Amino acid sequence: MAKLPQAHHARMLSLTAAEWIDPEIGFQHYEAVDKIGMTPEEQEHMGMQVAQHLQKGFLSVVLRLAIESGVTPWSVLERYQKLWDRYFDGSAISVTKLGPKEARAELVGFPMARIGYIQTGVGGIMRGVTELVAKRVYVQRVPKLSSETTLTYRVSWV
């Protein structure tokens, strides 16, 4: 909380898991987290922890349906937008098949894309979610296709 502006402390401490937060507070929070100085590995790990949390709720239903119908990483990738809509208000995810075990995921219209912690953390979420159905997943951000409001990742798996 030391890096978060004092004006937002009370609101952040009063949040419950079921409520939406004002985008400005979200920006301030993630910018503060970005200033903490976590390594990229720590940031990715935080994203993977978010994915583990997601699988306990909405994602568990999606995965159960996917498993019943023959699960593959594509089953998960095709549901990224539905998952995103559940937890974020605004922006969109597009997944493009590049090969049998490779895709490009583009998150567009996302104002927090400029925050370094978010760039790495979202990649960690994608890795964590996709690893639920693949032995090993590799997620790399593609800076030349990213911008202040767009995050682009290459996702591959074995």
Side-chain angles (χ1 to χ4, degrees):
M1 295 274 283
K3 303 282 185 189
L4 183 69
Q6 182 70 34
H8 299 306
H9 285 201
R11 179 65 181 123
M12 289 302 290
L13 291 171
S14 71
L15 285 173
T16 65
E19 60 184 307
W20 288 98
I21 63 169
D22 180 273
E24 181 57 31
I25 294 174
F27 272 107
Q28 294 289 325
H29 166 73
Y30 287 116
E31 285 176 334
V33 171
D34 198 39
K35 293 175 185 173
I36 291 173
M38 286 189 283
T39 66
E41 293 79 14
E42 291 170 323
Q43 294 172 356
E44 182 182 33
H45 179 72
M46 294 287 286
M48 291 183 68
Q49 286 182 319
V50 169
Q52 290 171 357
H53 174 74
L54 295 176
Q55 71 177 298
K56 293 177 186 172
F58 172 75
L59 187 57
S60 66
V61 174
V62 172
L63 285 174
R64 187 174 63 246
L65 292 171
I67 289 169
E68 290 172 2
S69 63
V71 69
T72 71
W74 290 111
S75 305
V76 174
L77 291 166
E78 291 168 353
R79 289 169 176 80
Y80 269 5
Q81 182 64 51
K82 192 169 199 160
L83 178 64
W84 191 260
D85 288 344
R86 176 94 169 140
Y87 294 98
F88 293 93
D89 187 16
S91 60
I93 294 180
S94 163
V95 177
T96 304
K97 188 173 187 174
L98 300 177
K101 294 184 177 185
E102 183 177 7
R104 181 177 55 243
E106 296 175 282
L107 175 57
V108 298
F110 186 50
M112 291 187 202
R114 63 181 167 79
I115 301 171
Y117 170 77
I118 291 292
Q119 295 167 2
T120 306
V122 167
I125 293 170
M126 288 182 179
R127 179 178 163 206
V129 168
T130 309
E131 276 188 347
L132 296 171
V133 296
K135 289 182 182 178
R136 182 74 176 134
V137 176
Y138 304 93
V139 177
Q140 297 175 316
R141 192 169 71 84
V142 183
K144 68 179 182 177
L145 298 177
S146 298
S147 71
E148 292 277 315
T149 59
T150 300
L151 292 173
T152 303
Y153 299 89
R154 180 180 162 268
V155 183
S156 58
W157 58 91
V158 292

